[in-house]
Amino acid sequence: MVGLSELPAIAAGAAGLLGGGAAGFGGGGSVPVLQGLLPVSWTVLAQQVSNQDMWGQVVRSWNHFVSTGQIWALLIGIAVGYAFRGLTRY
């Protein structure tokens, strides 16, 4: 999350990015200024994905979840939580 104290730096970086040049990119030196201000999580968008079989990953994860017995832990936890909620409701 961006704090209020960082807003002037972000505004200055954006102004440098938009100022000058026909394409509006301000001489090319402005992009590194903004690059330091971006959250780290945004850099994930630019990475290469080596395994694009998303549905296959979901199926393998679900099968592992069931085969290791974690499904039973989930169901028992839901039942116990529901019972506890019923006991502490009033």
Side-chain angles (χ1 to χ4, degrees), residues 1 5 8 12-13 25 30 36 44 46-47 57-59 71 82-83:
M1 202 72 192
S5 63
F25 286 111
S30 304
V44 175
Q47 296 190 7
Q57 290 178 355
V58 170
V59 169
I71 186 75
Y82 184 74

Side-chain angles (χ1 to χ4, degrees), residues 41-58:
S41 60
W42 285 17
T43 60
V44 175
L45 296 175
Q47 296 190 7
Q48 296 289 328
V49 178
S50 60
N51 186 4
Q52 297 178 357
D53 183 22
M54 295 297 290
W55 186 248
Q57 290 178 355
V58 170

Side-chain angles (χ1 to χ4, degrees), residues 1-89:
M1 202 72 192
V2 176
L4 291 177
S5 63
E6 297 172 338
L7 289 179
I10 293 172
L17 179 66
L18 297 176
F25 286 111
S30 304
V31 174
V33 171
L34 277 180
Q35 199 171 26
L37 298 174
L38 292 176
V40 176
S41 60
W42 285 17
T43 60
V44 175
L45 296 175
Q47 296 190 7
Q48 296 289 328
V49 178
S50 60
N51 186 4
Q52 297 178 357
D53 183 22
M54 295 297 290
W55 186 248
Q57 290 178 355
V58 170
V59 169
R60 280 192 302 277
S61 296
W62 176 256
N63 288 337
H64 183 264
F65 184 72
V66 171
S67 69
T68 57
Q70 294 179 41
I71 186 75
W72 294 113
L74 174 67
L75 294 175
I76 291 168
I78 289 172
V80 169
Y82 184 74
F84 186 73
R85 177 181 165 245
L87 292 173
T88 60
R89 182 172 240 189

